[in-house]
Amino acid sequence: MTTAAADPSWWADWPKFAPGWLALLVTLGTLTRKTWTVRQNIALGPEASELRTQLVQFRALLEEVGTKHTDWFLHEDRREVARFLRDSADRRDDETLKLTVTRVADAWDEIFALAPAPRMRVRFLGGVEETRYRREDALRAAADLDQFHKMTAVAQTALIDVQIAIGRLNELERRTHGR
């Protein structure tokens, strides 16, 4: 038994086992790569281009927040943007992307909560009623201005989150597709 262990003939036999070991290494490497790619695809989620389009459109909406008046916020499609973003975030597996998209949707809800109520315009008033109405309107305009400043601050923070989400989406796509 000790003579078999000391026998140098195993050196002569190793070339016939080398292809099997190489095939095993290549198979393990391929399985590892495939598992990693599948994991990245799951983290990226379905419809990554749809999420990118939503984020770019949302960035344009956020840039308009400080310049628009209350009627702009009454449009039903603008109210639904946060719901669409939350739905897209739920389909992602990457925690960073999911967190930033959810924070962006929360910021949009906060902007809508801060939006001042639309004002009723009265055309024909006279005397004391007109003076009282104009005074109340001026007070509401000052309060609305404060609300618009708060909305602009929230929008600026949300723009940073949109940039983070787009950057993370780019990183995941580069890992998955090599772009």
Side-chain angles (χ1 to χ4, degrees):
M1 189 164 207
T2 56
T3 58
D7 188 19
S9 66
W10 67 273
W11 283 103
D13 291 339
W14 76 267
K16 62 183 168 183
F17 295 112
W21 285 107
L22 286 175
L24 176 69
L25 289 175
V26 168
T27 303
L28 290 176
T30 303
L31 287 175
T32 303
R33 174 74 176 158
K34 182 173 177 150
T35 303
W36 184 79
T37 304
V38 166
R39 237 177 118 200
Q40 293 300 317
N41 279 330
I42 290 172
L44 187 57
E47 303 100 16
S49 60
E50 178 184 320
L51 177 62
R52 178 181 307 286
T53 304
Q54 286 177 348
L55 287 171
V56 168
Q57 289 172 350
F58 188 71
R59 181 174 51 193
L61 289 175
L62 284 173
E63 290 169 351
E64 292 181 19
V65 165
T67 61
K68 300 300 179 185
H69 297 289
T70 57
D71 296 342
W72 186 78
F73 293 97
L74 295 177
H75 196 271
E76 197 60 36
D77 288 344
R78 291 188 188 101
R79 288 193 166 275
E80 297 297 317
V81 169
R83 187 175 56 89
F84 293 142
L85 285 173
R86 278 195 186 86
D87 291 344
S88 291
D90 289 340
R91 291 186 297 217
R92 310 293 168 221
D93 197 34
D94 184 62
E95 290 301 320
T96 304
L97 186 60
K98 185 185 284 190
L99 176 68
T100 54
V101 171
T102 304
R103 282 178 32 189
V104 165
D106 291 342
W108 190 248
D109 287 339
E110 186 177 348
I111 287 171
F112 266 90
L114 288 171
R119 289 190 225 155
M120 300 281 291
R121 298 284 181 195
V122 179
R123 289 185 171 229
F124 301 108
L125 287 177
V128 178
E129 290 94 15
E130 183 175 356
T131 306
R132 185 177 48 83
Y133 177 76
R134 289 189 186 274
R135 186 177 302 133
E136 289 173 1
D137 192 41
L139 289 173
R140 274 187 279 160
D144 289 353
L145 189 61
D146 185 44
Q147 294 293 94
F148 278 125
H149 288 304
K150 289 178 185 176
M151 290 166 53
T152 305
V154 171
Q156 293 301 322
T157 305
L159 278 172
I160 294 169
D161 287 335
V162 168
Q163 289 300 102
I164 291 170
I166 290 174
R168 183 63 180 171
L169 191 61
N170 289 339
E171 182 181 339
L172 288 171
E173 280 184 344
R174 264 187 252 119
R175 285 183 185 174
T176 305
H177 305 296
R179 289 186 229 167

